[in-house]
Amino acid sequence: MKYVLIILIVLLGAATLYFKDWMLLSPHDSYYSALLRENLKATAEQWKMEAEQSLAAPLRISLPYSERRLLEADYLQPITFAFDRKMDELIQITIFPSINTRADVFVDVFYVKDAATKPTRIGSMAAREQQIKIAAEHTGQYLVRIQPSHAAQGLMDIAITSPLRYGFPVDTERENAVQSLFGVDRDGGARRHEGIDIFAPRGTPVIAAEAGQVTRVGNTPRGGKNVWVRGDQRSFYYAHLDSIAVSAGDRVMRGEALGTVGNTGNAVTTNPHLHFGIYKFAQGAVDPLPLVGRKKSVTTYTPPRVELALRWLSIKTDKANLRSGRSLKTVAVASVMRGELLQVDAIAGEWLRVKTGNGTTGFIDRSLTETPSDSILTFTENYVAFYLPDESSPVIGNFSAGDKLPTMGRFGEFALVKLPGGVYAWAKVAKQEKPAQN
């Protein structure tokens, strides 16, 4: 028996080591390990390095955010988005691949405690899944990193949204239904309002904001006819009801009727309304408004239809600003001059997410861009023709001193040049060489 136990322990240890990728690693880390096992070390290290660099330089966005991205070889770099959320608010990332897309897409969500602390991964989406939903456990900054597999191809839409965590507890679509907010003084400042008041005509259905079990039904001097429901590790309080449709111990689903709007209890002198509160264990009352919104509404988000853009564009004017967000009110992060090329990484509505030649990432209004026009560049010395604007990319030809060739524009230290036969290549040219306009 002793030896059998020893053998079992050894086998268990070996199995743990063999299956550690599946048991301990995120899908992102497992993919990296898989590349190593396939003897693609250089690819794996490059993929991992790009992921770390992206996480260290996130692009700030406001929610909801969506973009359309063309996945093709040489343009598969990850992108990390940063945004703020309040505690208990939801973060939802959805991937919409086109029918012919062949790609694994790895999504990781991180919480940033402070600038001096490494981001903490709080959730990951498996490569073939299309949606992940996570609740913010803290108020602060969150990061979403999206990285395609190294051989991805196709088209995908990405949506990052913050849907309401719970349903609206009154069956009304009135714009001004919520008229008394969380935290305001009550009884001359003796206490604070531990919920929100939602006004509606007497008899309007009061519905469960979340599924759970009815823990208490009562009639008290302050709350009048009231119902308590326990669900999602919280207690939901529905007060001042005109009538009650459930009993203690009942299981209710989200959207199920609990009673009707009234003004019982200490609300007898006010117009009919529901007092709605949410109580979290060991914390007490929390503000329901960010979790249920201001009216009953549909929260499904559909990315807008957008047209694809060329990979390389230039600006129409002598100068244009690259913005930190999709609004002219956001900060200008860089200026682009006529003749400079922009690498288009994604289309975000009427804006383009682009990269400049010095590596700055930001947004530019699509209406400010155009297809680059040819100018003639005269080479004063010999140059190597690169496949990409990167000296580590493959060499596909040479330029000789005296060559006069069409150029589409510059991207950092490189010029995009049209070779005889219509093939484009990149030349790292001297800054003093200026193309002559046609």
Side-chain angles (χ1 to χ4, degrees):
M1 187 66 181
K2 176 180 178 181
Y3 296 107
V4 172
L5 288 174
I6 293 174
I7 292 172
L8 287 175
I9 291 172
V10 171
L11 290 174
L12 181 61
T16 301
L17 290 174
Y18 184 79
F19 292 107
K20 67 177 181 178
D21 285 355
W22 291 269
M23 294 189 297
L24 302 176
L25 301 181
S26 70
H28 187 279
D29 294 335
S30 294
Y31 180 74
Y32 167 74
S33 297
L35 291 176
L36 292 177
R37 289 195 300 270
E38 293 172 11
N39 295 320
L40 297 173
K41 183 176 180 180
T43 299
E45 296 302 335
Q46 177 71 20
W47 196 77
K48 182 179 179 181
M49 180 187 70
E50 290 177 350
E52 293 172 348
Q53 290 174 343
S54 174
L55 196 63
L59 181 64
R60 249 194 116 71
I61 59 172
S62 57
L63 303 187
Y65 175 85
S66 68
E67 67 174 34
R68 173 165 289 184
R69 182 173 178 183
L70 179 63
L71 303 174
E72 56 183 353
D74 308 314
Y75 300 100
L76 297 173
Q77 289 77 18
I79 180 68
T80 299
F81 298 105
F83 49 86
D84 295 330
R85 290 292 91 188
K86 293 180 180 178
M87 183 177 64
D88 289 338
E89 290 183 338
L90 292 181
I91 302 167
Q92 179 173 291
I93 304 98
T94 309
I95 305 294
F96 304 87
S98 65
I99 295 176
N100 296 322
T101 296
R102 297 191 302 276
D104 289 337
V105 180
F106 300 90
V107 177
D108 294 281
V109 184
F110 300 83
Y111 168 65
V112 183
K113 183 178 180 180
D114 52 57
T117 306
K118 183 179 178 181
T120 302
R121 180 158 38 202
I122 60 171
S124 299
M125 187 167 78
R128 297 304 172 95
E129 292 182 356
Q130 291 185 250
Q131 188 176 90
I132 181 175
K133 186 183 294 185
I134 295 177
E137 294 186 359
H138 309 276
T139 296
Q141 186 182 83
Y142 289 83
L143 306 178
V144 172
R145 183 182 64 199
I146 301 171
Q147 185 169 20
S149 55
H150 78 287
Q153 282 185 315
L155 187 70
M156 70 174 181
D157 287 291
I158 301 165
I160 305 176
T161 59
S162 185
L164 296 173
R165 182 162 183 158
Y166 303 120
F168 198 69
V170 178
D171 191 9
T172 180
E173 297 181 6
R174 294 173 57 182
E175 294 289 343
N176 61 343
V178 179
Q179 296 183 19
S180 183
L181 302 181
F182 179 84
V184 299
D185 287 344
R186 285 289 188 269
D187 297 338
R191 62 185 180 90
R192 65 172 188 149
H193 194 213
E194 293 188 342
I196 57 176
D197 289 342
I198 304 171
F199 287 78
R202 185 183 306 277
T204 302
V206 171
I207 53 182
E210 176 64 331
Q213 184 173 32
V214 178
T215 56
R216 192 189 322 165
V217 171
N219 192 344
T220 61
R222 179 181 293 177
K225 294 179 181 180
N226 63 85
V227 173
W228 287 85
V229 177
R230 180 69 177 169
D232 193 31
Q233 300 179 0
R234 289 158 178 76
S235 290
F236 299 84
Y237 178 52
Y238 307 81
H240 306 317
L241 304 180
D242 188 64
S243 64
I244 296 175
V246 293
S247 302
D250 288 351
R251 295 288 305 177
V252 295
M253 300 300 294
R254 178 183 293 201
E256 187 173 338
L258 303 176
T260 57
V261 171
N263 63 340
T264 57
N266 65 1
V268 66
T269 60
T270 68
N271 290 328
H273 67 274
L274 170 72
H275 170 86
F276 177 66
I278 300 178
Y279 294 82
K280 194 172 182 179
F281 179 72
Q283 181 178 334
V286 297
D287 186 2
L289 191 60
L291 307 179
V292 300
R294 289 185 172 273
K295 67 175 183 177
K296 184 180 180 182
S297 60
V298 177
T299 58
T300 301
Y301 179 78
T302 302
R305 292 183 176 273
V306 294
E307 293 183 8
L308 285 176
L310 297 175
R311 178 66 67 184
W312 299 99
L313 291 175
S314 59
I315 61 171
K316 295 178 179 179
T317 56
D318 291 334
K319 181 181 178 180
N321 288 326
L322 202 64
R323 300 276 174 183
S324 62
R326 299 168 296 160
S327 168
L328 294 176
K329 296 180 180 179
T330 56
V331 177
V333 296
S335 294
V336 185
M337 310 302 292
R338 184 185 293 275
E340 292 184 48
L341 293 174
L342 295 171
Q343 176 183 309
V344 179
D345 290 327
I347 302 94
E350 299 300 319
W351 293 76
L352 302 175
R353 178 166 64 81
V354 300
K355 184 183 297 180
T356 66
N358 65 6
T360 302
T361 296
F363 297 92
I364 190 168
D365 190 319
R366 188 170 188 165
S367 66
L368 300 177
T369 65
E370 64 180 1
T371 303
S373 56
D374 287 351
S375 300
I376 300 301
L377 179 66
T378 301
F379 291 93
T380 59
E381 55 185 276
N382 297 332
Y383 290 104
V384 173
F386 293 101
Y387 176 64
L388 294 172
D390 184 343
E391 287 185 278
S392 64
S393 71
V395 174
I396 60 174
N398 293 280
F399 303 108
S400 301
D403 283 349
K404 294 182 178 182
L405 297 172
T407 178
M408 304 293 284
R410 289 176 178 258
F411 187 73
E413 297 180 302
F414 290 83
L416 181 57
V417 180
K418 189 175 183 180
L419 296 172
V423 176
Y424 284 92
W426 293 91
K428 186 175 181 182
V429 299
K431 290 184 178 181
Q432 64 267 24
E433 294 194 19
K434 301 288 186 182
Q437 301 293 328
N438 285 339

